[in-house]
């Protein structure tokens, strides 16, 4: 008998101040990375899906972004 499946991991990469595309408010947005890994006998072996998104803390809207956009957002220095 072989037991296999998937397990999801959610990483918070940064908190950014952006203008929300949904509500139009300048609010904090969390930059998140969701990784889904293949598991064999409950041991995560390798990732087969990686997705990035930002979520507005004011209205809760989540917007999917590409890996390149996520890297660019992380490279922007925080305002003082």
């Amino acid at each position: 008998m072989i037991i296999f499946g998937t397990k999801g991991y959610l990483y918070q990469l940064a908190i950014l101040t952006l203008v929300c595309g949904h509500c139009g408010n300048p609010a904090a947005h969390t930059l998140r990375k969701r990784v889904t890994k293949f598991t064999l006998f409950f041991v995560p072996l390798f990732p087969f899906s990686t997705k990035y998104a930002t979520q507005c803390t004011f209205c809760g809207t989540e917007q999917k972004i590409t890996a390149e956009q996520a890297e660019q957002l992380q490279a922007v220095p925080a305002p003082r």
Side-chain angles (χ1 to χ4, degrees), residues 16-73:
L16 310 163
T17 302
L18 303 170
V19 176
C20 181
H22 181 72
C23 66
N25 289 312
H29 285 67
T30 56
L31 177 60
R32 297 180 176 171
K33 175 180 174 181
R34 181 179 308 273
V35 179
T36 305
K37 293 186 178 183
F38 176 78
T39 61
L40 184 62
F41 294 106
F42 306 105
V43 177
L45 296 177
F46 57 88
F48 68 88
S49 174
T50 303
K51 297 179 182 179
Y52 295 89
T54 59
Q55 184 176 20
C56 177
T57 57
F58 188 81
C59 67
T61 301
E62 187 171 288
Q63 181 180 0
K64 295 179 182 177
I65 60 173
T66 64
E68 292 80 23
Q69 290 172 326
E71 288 178 17
Q72 288 175 353
L73 286 172

